[in-house]
Amino acid sequence: MSNHQGTEKKLDLSVNIAGVTLNNPITTASGTFSAYESGAFYNLNELGAMITKGVANIPWDGNPTPRIAETYGGMLNAVGLQNPGIDYFIAHELPYLRQFDTKIIVNVAGRSIEDYCEVAEKLNGTAADMLEVNISCPNVKKGGIGFGTHSEMAAKVTKEVRRVSKKPIIIKLTPNVTDITEIAKAVEAEGADAVSLINTLLGMKIDVHRKKPVLANKMGGFSGPAIKPVAVRMVYQVRRAVNIPIIGLGGIMTGEDVAEFIMAGADAVSVGTAAFVNPTAPADIKNELIEYMQKYNFKSLKEIREAFTE
Amino acid sequence: MSNHQGTEKKLDLSVNIAGVTLNNPITTASGTFSAYESGAFYNLNELGAMITKGVANIPWDGNPTPRIAETYGGMLNAVGLQNPGIDYFIAHELPYLRQFDTKIIVNVAGRSIEDYCEVAEKLNGTAADMLEVNISCPNVKKGGIGFGTHSEMAAKVTKEVRRVSKKPIIIKLTPNVTDITEIAKAVEAEGADAVSLINTLLGMKIDVHRKKPVLANKMGGFSGPAIKPVAVRMVYQVRRAVNIPIIGLGGIMTGEDVAEFIMAGADAVSVGTAAFVNPTAPADIKNELIEYMQKYNFKSLKEIREAFTE
Amino acid sequence: MCKKTVIEAKIIQNQEIAQGVYRMVLSAPEIAAGASCGQFVNLYPKAKHTLLPRPISICEIGEDTLTLVYGVVGEGTREFAGYNAGETIRVSSAIGTGFKPQKTKTAVLVGGGIGVPPLVELAKQMSGEKIAVIGFRDEPFLKEELEKAGAKVYIATDSGKTGFKGNVIELIQEQGISGDYFYSCGPKVMLKALAAYCESINTPVQVSLEERMGCGYGACVGCVCKIKENTETGYEHKKVCKDGPVFLGSEVVWDE
Amino acid sequence: MCKKTVIEAKIIQNQEIAQGVYRMVLSAPEIAAGASCGQFVNLYPKAKHTLLPRPISICEIGEDTLTLVYGVVGEGTREFAGYNAGETIRVSSAIGTGFKPQKTKTAVLVGGGIGVPPLVELAKQMSGEKIAVIGFRDEPFLKEELEKAGAKVYIATDSGKTGFKGNVIELIQEQGISGDYFYSCGPKVMLKALAAYCESINTPVQVSLEERMGCGYGACVGCVCKIKENTETGYEHKKVCKDGPVFLGSEVVWDE
Ligand SMILES: Cc1cc2nc3c(=O)[nH]c(=O)nc-3n(C[C@H](O)[C@H](O)[C@H](O)COP(=O)(O)OP(=O)(O)OC[C@H]3O[C@@H](n4cnc5c(N)ncnc54)[C@H](O)[C@@H]3O)c2cc1C
Ligand SMILES: Cc1cc2nc3c(=O)[nH]c(=O)nc-3n(C[C@H](O)[C@H](O)[C@H](O)COP(=O)(O)OP(=O)(O)OC[C@H]3O[C@@H](n4cnc5c(N)ncnc54)[C@H](O)[C@@H]3O)c2cc1C
Ligand SMILES: Cc1cc2nc3c(=O)[nH]c(=O)nc-3n(C[C@H](O)[C@H](O)[C@H](O)COP(=O)(O)O)c2cc1C
Ligand SMILES: Cc1cc2nc3c(=O)[nH]c(=O)nc-3n(C[C@H](O)[C@H](O)[C@H](O)COP(=O)(O)O)c2cc1C
Ligand code: FES
Ligand code: FES
């Protein structure tokens, strides 16, 4: 292990996403992070960025319980995007986030294109550094079909949000599609500044003792280390299909997992379910990434990416 | 635990799939079973049916190695359907299979519709009880796009194989699609006698120490307990979309997992990766299913299915 | 700033105290120091295919120790039951909003099954008269601990094997047990019935709820319950792991 | 009919014999009885997130015991290294087609690193003169065992810390070691070079190959290597776990 910092070139973890510089590539996956609660366990200044829970134009009540189920190496959730609405968020949550020396990425939810646009517009004057637009929400106007599963709809949301927003926008893609590169190309063409992937797979668990689905909502979003091979594959595919930055996520548990996503083509990453297994996971994973880089004498994320040969 | 067999109604594990009666719902997932090698570990008469490795019209060489990678709670394979071709299969493998008191389901691979039909025709006069048509293979004539990811192509294969085959045909569906019910409905409409699902998810793993993909083929089929929530969800969805029997698979490791698939809507199941973790898995899982049924006093698979409430 | 933590705590004792019910005593001074009655800790299984924390109520808080009592119901608790004294387990700081002991004349503590444990520390924290009414399917546990904490203990069992045959509410009515404040933890059906009973006799009750958790520390909104609020729907989804697990029986929407 | 099995075998010894290299002795009479040199067993990790068997060559076959020697390289072998004598491990019957000891005058056994272990049982099975040439990065192991089996042992290390500085083929050439039959196990680059060397000196060599495995018992066709055959491509994919791990050096297609 070579470890001669100071004399040599210094280790640089920073990454630029659509003009915004993150101190390091570790961000918090939307819906698995709360600044107040997570910050009780580790120093949030360690993060490259905080990605918030999804926020909609009005408060959403979310789904009935149980909302959570554990699976083999993974979990299901059907929180249903419970959130207090953008006005409350701007008034009561955003000010708290501003105290930290890290970037703020606001995850945006919506049931119609107008919903998304309303949130994006309201965030224009605020401290938010970027928006992450979650297009996995069902489009209620189109009978509940996910925006993210059809390239025309994905393109449409991107176009309209891009038009009204003054911030860089990241489009968050769902893995529940036949060809994710098609969706990625569609949103890139309409001005997405970056994409993040993957959102949760759609899964289900039945309790054979109670003889009913574990989740009140029956199906839910499947996340955690179990799904990592799908996420890595999709990041790899999308990297070869678009030129905009990629935030990679899905099952990241260790610093080496981060390196895996970077080699597959990610510019930054998000840590989600890992923070349930270990509340300090994002900070720990950042330190493990540094150890990994020191072991192989990588000085930047770019060097990791370039070391990958197919 | 009530266990008064003999005096009460007897436990009946049998199931009828498209006119073929299996003694029990446990079959072996294609590609994870070899009668000679698996039969060295347990009595093959315990199976409801043996599903063979994929067989094509001519021998296939398969992919370069490494073909196998382990993932968190799962695995990837890129065997590439190595097989000795249908003539060799009929001459040298089928006769060996006939000695067992269980059903024979031959999994059929192809790179064009003609390939599939040739195999199906050659099996007409043989001891095969049913065919399982693997439509996840890439269609070389259409630039390598999977037959199983487009409903028109899936329908076309089904129609042609149904026309030439004198045996019941099961169409094996891939999970790498936006809407699996659409494909299931398309193949049902063209005469599929049953569907089996799921085949493997598409996944990838990168070795961050060697800095290259683990599989020589880069991407591979993702299987094992990690993927079970996706499989259960798809069986549940397809059960509500078609009327033909379903063979459910994907991550089954225990008798309770079998019950879970049956509650979701499966008529029978296949055990795949579990037989790598434990070579006697199919037989053990059958016994665990019996224990589960005794615990809840279920006398048939139908009673399990009907006990499920949403 | 980092006021919460997860530590590897040494197991001092892990002993079966009733069939399938274990008492685990942990050496965890820093966690014990910050804990109060009715809060819970998260226990993390070692098996890597089981990811999520297991929330377990704090049964007793010692100077340097925490006592937990848990029932074996699934993979995680089965793993915990296999630990020996001397081994370690990952455990979080005490979490949530617990019981708020009131200065009243007679407190009635009502517990059902694996909901009995948090009542022990509660009883220890309260002066004044206290009556514990605890129900089990078959086999009671923690009776002595409650008595040591100064409570008069009544026992009900479904089977009638020990104590009163029936449930705790029937026992309360049969024995004419009364008090000016109720506290309770147990299965939802029991809590719901008790909340209705307390309303009928116009006596306040604090109830400790359970819900499936994701993070176990307030970040994921996985573990909510419906608490009456002046909103359009008449309730708000509050987090069991943070706003609870203890709520007033009168503020809970008992719909299911 | 069921001629193969997986058993829970008792661990008699599990001891570090070089840095990161362990000797594990298992009590497994039924498996020992059916084993021959150059075969391997599958060891199954207990951790449920690691599913696949770990193939480990048989180092020595006792009356009632099997000796394995393994290096710690990843999650599975790290788990194995943590076991204590008295614990159990799941282990399969002996699998595959091993070495076929030939009746020759002088046998040369060439091993590289963690490929050395199967040469010990091979040496024990052979009468006649035997020379072992074994290479390591830094720290040799199994020298005494090979000597006890009657072999004259030459050692090479990459670092030159012990024995000859260089690789085994350089050592063979430097020392003018020769024999009428070679046997080898080790990294693919070494085997490939040795096969070329043996061809050049017109001496047969048996080589033991490695490949990533799915089932580990011949069912999945995951673990193939290319063996020369009279086919269109000039080779056939054969299973390392069944047709091998030992093949003739001359029949292997050494393309990568
Ligand atoms: C605030 C709170 C306090 C609790 N206190 C105690 C206690 O003191 N003693 C005790 O024995 N039990 C207590 N429980 C219940 C305990 O958390 C579960 O029995 C335990 O999590 C089961 O884990 P398992 O792995 O054995 O079961 P599994 O069924 O294998 O667990 C699968 C998943 O479901 C969750 N789960 C299963 N049952 C419950 C449940 N009843 N409540 C919440 N999550 C559940 C698990 O945490 C896990 O994520 C408490 C629950 C809550 C919410
Ligand atoms: C026929 C045969 C005999 C072997 N004999 C020995 C022996 O006697 N001593 C010894 O130390 N090692 C031996 N190996 C290598 C040994 O199997 C691996 O080192 C071991 O599987 C690594 O497991 P892990 O969980 O520690 O590594 P991980 O990298 O965590 O394993 C991940 C997966 O890759 C597989 N894998 C990793 N490295 C190898 C490898 N080199 N060959 C095959 N599969 C691999 C594992 O089995 C597992 O499925 C042998 C391999 C084969 C094929
Ligand atoms: C409890 C929970 C809530 C989530 N909520 C959101 C959300 O509000 N918006 C969103 O875009 N993704 C949401 N996700 C998805 C995650 O951000 C992430 O894409 C997914 O969990 C995969 O990453 P992981 O395996 O690291 O958890 C949620 C995930 C979980 C587990
Ligand atoms: C090594 C391997 C080879 C496979 N080969 C085939 C095949 O030839 N034809 C096919 O239809 N499915 C094949 N599959 C897919 C399995 O039959 C099954 O659909 C999948 O593995 C999911 O089930 P499991 O999680 O129980 O393994 C293969 C799977 C594995 C692991
Ligand atoms: S469990 Fe995550 S908020 Fe309560
Ligand atoms: S590992 Fe399955 S055939 Fe060799």
Side-chain angles (χ1 to χ4, degrees):
Chain A
M1 253 183 245
S2 95
N3 210 334
H4 319 275
Q5 281 175 56
T7 58
E8 286 181 31
K9 214 172 116 200
K10 261 191 78 184
L11 199 145
D12 176 15
L13 285 177
S14 73
V15 54
N16 182 303
I17 306 278
V20 178
T21 299
L22 315 190
N23 288 334
N24 67 65
I26 312 293
T27 73
T28 55
S30 177
T32 67
F33 169 81
S34 149
Y36 186 81
E37 311 299 342
S38 307
F41 284 97
Y42 65 95
N43 184 343
L44 301 187
N45 298 337
E46 299 232 21
L47 294 169
M50 303 179 285
I51 305 186
T52 71
K53 240 184 280 297
V55 185
N57 59 329
I58 52 164
W60 289 8
D61 197 30
N63 287 323
T65 58
R67 291 178 170 185
I68 303 283
E70 190 180 61
T71 71
Y72 202 109
M75 64 171 285
L76 303 177
N77 90 80
V79 167
L81 292 162
Q82 176 178 336
N83 78 87
I86 186 63
D87 295 334
Y88 183 95
F89 176 82
I90 291 173
H92 301 286
E93 298 188 6
L94 206 45
Y96 184 79
L97 299 179
R98 291 184 55 181
Q99 69 185 289
F100 301 103
D101 178 25
T102 181
K103 297 292 185 272
I104 301 170
I105 302 178
V106 181
N107 184 279
V108 182
R111 291 176 179 134
S112 68
I113 293 187
E114 299 76 50
D115 287 3
Y116 285 110
C117 289
E118 186 180 339
V119 177
E121 274 183 289
K122 287 192 167 159
L123 285 167
N124 272 339
T126 69
D129 292 291
M130 290 198 248
L131 274 47
E132 179 181 58
V133 184
N134 175 9
I135 59 170
S136 304
C137 316
N139 180 352
V140 290
K141 289 202 177 160
K142 291 249 164 128
I145 296 169
F147 283 104
T149 54
H150 290 78
S151 31
E152 313 82 58
M153 282 204 269
K156 194 88 192 295
V157 181
T158 307
K159 186 177 174 181
E160 297 303 321
V161 176
R162 181 58 295 162
R163 210 172 46 78
V164 301
S165 178
K166 300 208 164 72
K167 315 265 180 189
I169 62 168
I170 305 160
I171 305 293
K172 184 160 180 185
L173 307 180
T174 168
N176 300 299
V177 294
T178 306
D179 182 2
I180 195 163
T181 65
E182 197 194 292
I183 317 278
K185 286 188 271 190
V187 304
E188 181 185 41
E190 294 299 348
D193 299 288
V195 285
S196 56
L197 58 141
I198 59 176
N199 211 315
T200 51
L201 287 161
L202 189 59
M204 180 170 180
K205 180 175 178 174
I206 292 171
D207 183 329
V208 294
H209 304 291
R210 296 207 178 84
K211 299 161 191 94
K212 60 178 190 183
V214 175
L215 298 177
N217 196 45
K218 292 172 199 166
M219 299 183 220
F222 176 26
S223 64
I227 71 166
K228 197 184 66 173
V230 174
V232 170
R233 182 262 294 184
M234 289 186 164
V235 168
Y236 175 88
Q237 290 178 315
V238 170
R239 178 67 297 153
R240 278 139 194 87
V242 302
N243 291 309
I244 48 179
I246 295 173
I247 299 180
L249 72 157
I252 292 176
M253 296 281 281
T254 66
E256 293 186 359
D257 291 343
V258 175
E260 185 174 6
F261 274 84
I262 291 175
M263 287 185 182
D267 295 271
V269 298
S270 304
V271 174
T273 302
F276 299 176
V277 186
N278 167 23
T280 59
D284 295 347
I285 287 172
K286 178 186 143 189
N287 291 328
E288 291 166 5
L289 175 65
I290 293 172
E291 276 171 41
Y292 169 83
M293 291 175 72
Q294 288 172 339
K295 180 168 170 188
Y296 293 104
N297 204 22
F298 289 129
K299 297 300 181 196
S300 68
L301 305 181
K302 190 162 163 277
E303 288 185 15
I304 300 179
R305 201 171 302 117
E306 288 172 353
F308 177 66
T309 54
E310 303 196 31
Chain B
M1 255 185 241
S2 95
N3 209 334
H4 318 276
Q5 282 174 53
T7 56
E8 284 184 33
K9 213 169 120 199
K10 262 190 77 184
L11 200 144
D12 177 13
L13 286 176
S14 72
V15 54
N16 183 303
I17 307 279
V20 178
T21 300
L22 315 189
N23 288 334
N24 67 66
I26 312 294
T27 71
T28 55
S30 178
T32 67
F33 169 80
S34 149
Y36 186 80
E37 311 300 341
S38 308
F41 284 98
Y42 64 95
N43 185 345
L44 302 186
N45 299 336
E46 298 231 21
L47 294 168
M50 301 178 287
I51 304 187
T52 71
K53 239 183 281 295
V55 186
N57 58 330
I58 53 165
W60 289 8
D61 198 31
N63 286 324
T65 57
R67 292 178 170 184
I68 304 284
E70 190 179 64
T71 71
Y72 203 110
M75 64 172 285
L76 303 178
N77 90 82
V79 167
L81 291 162
Q82 177 178 336
N83 79 88
I86 185 65
D87 295 334
Y88 183 95
F89 176 82
I90 291 173
H92 301 285
E93 297 189 5
L94 205 46
Y96 184 79
L97 299 179
R98 290 184 55 183
Q99 69 185 291
F100 301 102
D101 179 25
T102 180
K103 296 294 185 270
I104 301 170
I105 302 177
V106 180
N107 184 277
V108 182
R111 292 177 179 134
S112 68
I113 293 187
E114 298 77 48
D115 288 3
Y116 285 111
C117 288
E118 188 182 336
V119 177
E121 272 183 290
K122 287 194 167 157
L123 285 166
N124 271 339
T126 70
D129 292 292
M130 290 197 248
L131 312 191
E132 180 181 56
V133 184
N134 176 9
I135 58 170
S136 305
C137 316
N139 180 353
V140 289
K141 291 204 177 160
K142 292 250 164 130
I145 297 168
F147 283 103
T149 53
H150 290 79
S151 32
E152 312 82 60
M153 282 204 269
K156 194 88 193 295
V157 182
T158 307
K159 186 177 174 182
E160 297 303 320
V161 176
R162 181 58 293 162
R163 211 172 43 77
V164 301
S165 177
K166 298 209 165 75
K167 316 264 181 189
I169 62 170
I170 305 159
I171 305 292
K172 185 160 178 185
L173 307 180
T174 169
N176 301 299
V177 295
T178 306
D179 182 0
I180 196 165
T181 65
E182 197 194 291
I183 317 277
K185 284 188 271 190
V187 304
E188 180 184 42
E190 293 299 347
D193 299 290
V195 285
S196 55
L197 59 142
I198 58 176
N199 210 315
T200 51
L201 287 160
L202 189 59
M204 181 169 179
K205 180 175 180 174
I206 292 170
D207 183 329
V208 295
H209 304 291
R210 298 206 177 85
K211 300 162 189 92
K212 60 179 190 181
V214 176
L215 299 177
N217 196 47
K218 293 171 197 168
M219 301 184 218
F222 176 25
S223 64
I227 72 166
K228 198 183 67 173
V230 174
V232 170
R233 181 261 294 184
M234 288 188 164
V235 167
Y236 176 88
Q237 290 178 313
V238 169
R239 178 68 296 154
R240 279 142 192 85
V242 301
N243 292 308
I244 49 180
I246 295 174
I247 299 180
L249 73 157
I252 291 176
M253 296 282 280
T254 67
E256 291 185 2
D257 291 343
V258 175
E260 185 175 6
F261 275 84
I262 291 175
M263 286 183 183
D267 295 273
V269 299
S270 303
V271 174
T273 302
F276 299 175
V277 186
N278 167 22
T280 59
D284 295 348
I285 288 171
K286 178 185 142 187
N287 291 328
E288 290 166 7
L289 175 65
I290 292 172
E291 275 171 39
Y292 170 82
M293 291 175 73
Q294 287 172 337
K295 180 168 171 187
Y296 292 105
N297 206 22
F298 290 129
K299 295 302 180 193
S300 67
L301 306 180
K302 188 160 166 276
E303 288 184 16
I304 300 178
R305 199 170 303 116
E306 288 173 352
F308 177 67
T309 54
E310 306 197 30
Chain C
M1 192 176 110
C2 297
K3 34 193 186 324
K4 283 190 194 150
T5 180
V6 172
I7 63 160
E8 284 275 349
K10 179 118 153 250
I11 298 169
I12 297 176
Q13 188 196 91
N14 191 30
Q15 189 182 302
E16 194 164 12
I17 59 168
Q19 210 202 319
V21 179
Y22 287 72
R23 177 196 287 113
M24 183 184 274
V25 183
L26 298 177
S27 167
E30 63 279 55
I31 292 179
S36 66
C37 69
Q39 287 190 300
F40 66 93
V41 293
N42 286 314
L43 293 183
Y44 294 85
K46 289 195 176 71
K48 287 196 175 178
H49 70 299
T50 48
L51 300 174
L52 300 177
R54 271 52 181 173
I56 303 289
S57 294
I58 296 170
C59 175
E60 291 185 72
I61 305 169
E63 186 109 347
D64 295 333
T65 62
L66 279 182
T67 298
L68 311 174
V69 170
Y70 62 93
V72 173
V73 303
E75 282 207 85
T77 49
R78 200 171 309 124
E79 181 190 305
F80 302 153
Y83 292 170
N84 296 314
E87 296 187 71
T88 61
I89 186 167
R90 282 177 65 227
V91 57
S92 73
S93 298
I95 286 176
T97 309
F99 288 112
K100 296 192 187 71
Q102 304 292 313
K103 288 210 167 56
T104 55
K105 209 178 130 278
T106 306
V108 185
L109 283 52
V110 184
I114 209 61
V116 174
L119 302 181
V120 175
E121 184 60 35
L122 173 66
K124 283 165 70 180
Q125 304 271 321
M126 280 193 305
S127 50
E129 197 190 345
K130 40 211 166 191
I131 303 169
V133 187
I134 52 179
F136 303 89
R137 201 165 306 153
D138 212 56
E139 193 186 356
F141 48 85
L142 296 176
K143 177 172 183 276
E144 291 72 24
E145 285 78 357
L146 285 163
E147 285 171 347
K148 247 178 72 184
K152 177 158 173 42
V153 179
Y154 293 82
I155 291 176
T157 56
D158 294 344
S159 63
K161 220 169 127 184
T162 310
F164 175 78
K165 179 173 167 52
N167 68 36
V168 286
I169 297 180
E170 290 163 351
L171 175 55
I172 287 168
Q173 293 176 318
E174 209 237 22
Q175 291 285 324
I177 294 165
S178 69
D180 39 15
Y181 211 98
F182 280 62
Y183 304 85
S184 186
C185 183
K188 196 155 186 185
V189 278
M190 181 194 102
L191 297 179
K192 183 178 176 176
L194 184 69
Y197 174 73
C198 286
E199 201 187 335
S200 76
I201 59 168
N202 230 324
T203 308
V205 59
Q206 292 179 15
V207 295
S208 179
L209 302 181
E210 273 190 15
E211 192 45 75
R212 303 247 160 182
M213 296 193 175
C215 63
Y217 58 84
C220 76
V221 211
C223 63
V224 297
C225 61
K226 291 183 181 170
I227 298 299
K228 288 175 192 159
E229 282 289 340
N230 202 354
T231 62
E232 245 172 69
T233 51
Y235 68 84
E236 211 176 280
H237 271 134
K238 297 247 174 155
K239 299 173 193 169
V240 168
C241 74
K242 188 194 171 187
D243 306 308
V246 178
F247 295 93
L248 283 175
S250 55
E251 59 179 354
V252 175
V253 181
W254 299 100
D255 46 8
E256 300 119 66
Chain D
M1 192 175 106
C2 298
K3 34 194 186 323
K4 284 190 192 145
T5 179
V6 172
I7 62 160
E8 284 275 350
K10 181 120 152 246
I11 298 168
I12 297 174
Q13 188 197 92
N14 190 30
Q15 190 181 303
E16 195 166 11
I17 59 168
Q19 208 200 323
V21 179
Y22 288 72
R23 176 195 289 113
M24 184 183 273
V25 183
L26 298 177
S27 166
E30 62 280 55
I31 292 180
S36 65
C37 67
Q39 288 189 301
F40 67 92
V41 293
N42 287 314
L43 293 183
Y44 294 86
K46 289 196 176 70
K48 287 196 175 178
H49 71 299
T50 48
L51 299 174
L52 299 178
R54 270 54 179 171
I56 303 290
S57 295
I58 296 171
C59 176
E60 292 186 69
I61 305 168
E63 186 109 349
D64 294 335
T65 61
L66 280 182
T67 299
L68 312 173
V69 170
Y70 62 93
V72 173
V73 303
E75 282 208 85
T77 49
R78 200 170 309 125
E79 180 190 306
F80 302 152
Y83 292 170
N84 296 314
E87 295 188 71
T88 61
I89 186 168
R90 281 176 65 227
V91 57
S92 74
S93 299
I95 286 177
T97 308
F99 288 112
K100 295 193 189 70
Q102 305 292 312
K103 287 209 168 53
T104 55
K105 209 180 133 281
T106 307
V108 185
L109 282 52
V110 184
I114 208 63
V116 175
L119 303 181
V120 176
E121 184 61 32
L122 173 65
K124 285 165 69 180
Q125 305 270 319
M126 280 193 305
S127 48
E129 198 192 342
K130 40 210 167 190
I131 302 170
V133 187
I134 53 179
F136 303 89
R137 201 165 306 155
D138 212 58
E139 193 185 354
F141 47 84
L142 295 177
K143 177 173 182 276
E144 291 72 27
E145 286 77 359
L146 284 163
E147 285 172 347
K148 249 179 71 184
K152 177 158 173 44
V153 178
Y154 293 82
I155 291 177
T157 57
D158 294 345
S159 63
K161 219 169 127 184
T162 310
F164 174 80
K165 180 173 165 59
N167 68 36
V168 285
I169 297 180
E170 291 163 352
L171 175 53
I172 287 169
Q173 292 176 316
E174 209 237 20
Q175 291 286 323
I177 294 166
S178 70
D180 39 13
Y181 210 100
F182 279 63
Y183 304 85
S184 186
C185 184
K188 196 157 186 183
V189 279
M190 182 195 100
L191 298 179
K192 183 178 175 174
L194 184 69
Y197 173 72
C198 286
E199 201 186 334
S200 76
I201 58 167
N202 230 324
T203 309
V205 58
Q206 292 178 16
V207 295
S208 180
L209 303 180
E210 272 191 14
E211 193 43 78
R212 305 248 159 181
M213 296 193 175
C215 63
Y217 57 84
C220 76
V221 212
C223 64
V224 296
C225 60
K226 289 183 183 171
I227 298 299
K228 289 176 192 159
E229 283 287 341
N230 201 353
T231 62
E232 245 172 71
T233 51
Y235 68 84
E236 211 175 277
H237 272 133
K238 297 247 175 154
K239 299 173 192 168
V240 168
C241 74
K242 188 196 171 189
D243 306 309
V246 178
F247 296 93
L248 284 175
S250 56
E251 61 178 355
V252 175
V253 180
W254 299 101
D255 48 8
E256 300 117 64

